[in-house]
Amino acid sequence: MTYLPRRAAAAATAVAALFALVTGCSGAEAPAPAAEAPAAAASPVALPAPRSAPSPAAVLTPAPTAGEVRVQQGPFTDRVQLTGLRLTASPSSVTGHVAIGSDVSDTLALEITAAYYDAEGRLLGTGTFHHAEEGEEAHAGQPHTGPRAAGDGIDFTVPADHLTGTPAGAVLSIPVLVNE
């Protein structure tokens, strides 16, 4: 009986070796199948997730002149008119007026960001202005009488948030603009 476990172990080892030999246990990967034409998608193609707004430049070149407000070109700057742009000192903010000229529909969401720079062009901090239309439900069936970004436009203020110095200039960007 003492030979039975040894014989069983030897038989099992032989079977495993034979199985490895038959299945090609060489450590190499199996060759890739020949490229075939892509199969038709059974579901709609998913679009990539929207990218977030780019971070402001750490250094602005050329450095801003005192009180200068620049507008960074982006995907929505050709659809809006920014007027009356002004850098205020206390509290530090950028004020102005925005009107949407490309659409007559209501603006559902608008975001304006400002990057604040010192006289040498170093980034001091940022700020954000958010505007969202409330929709007809918020007015209980009454017409909306407040400011709208479409048409006459709206006045905005982008307050600076946690500045590390006194800003000499700012750069505005519009990362979000959603119309009906």
Side-chain angles (χ1 to χ4, degrees):
M1 282 246 191
T2 59
Y3 295 111
L4 183 57
R6 286 185 193 162
R7 286 185 184 168
T13 304
V15 169
L18 182 60
F19 182 73
L21 184 61
V22 170
T23 59
C25 184
S26 65
E29 294 182 19
E36 297 179 14
S43 62
V45 175
L47 297 175
R51 296 185 305 176
S52 60
S55 298
V59 177
L60 187 61
T61 306
T65 59
E68 179 182 9
V69 178
R70 298 179 191 172
V71 177
Q72 180 180 359
Q73 294 301 311
F76 305 116
T77 52
D78 63 337
R79 295 174 50 191
V80 300
Q81 296 170 348
L82 295 166
T83 57
L85 299 177
R86 192 168 65 107
L87 178 64
T88 61
S90 182
S92 294
S93 63
V94 173
T95 60
H97 184 83
V98 61
I100 313 288
S102 64
D103 296 308
V104 294
S105 61
D106 288 340
T107 300
L108 301 177
L110 171 67
E111 182 178 311
I112 301 173
T113 62
Y116 295 91
Y117 293 89
D118 66 11
E120 286 78 37
R122 292 184 303 249
L123 180 65
L124 300 174
T126 61
T128 305
F129 167 81
H130 295 279
H131 173 77
E133 288 293 333
E134 299 161 356
E136 292 301 319
E137 302 82 35
H139 302 289
Q142 301 299 316
H144 179 77
T145 58
R148 294 181 185 256
D152 292 336
I154 58 172
D155 294 327
F156 66 88
T157 298
V158 185
D161 194 26
H162 307 295
L163 291 180
T164 60
T166 303
V171 176
L172 290 182
S173 61
I174 302 173
V176 175
L177 176 61
V178 180
N179 292 73
E180 280 186 339

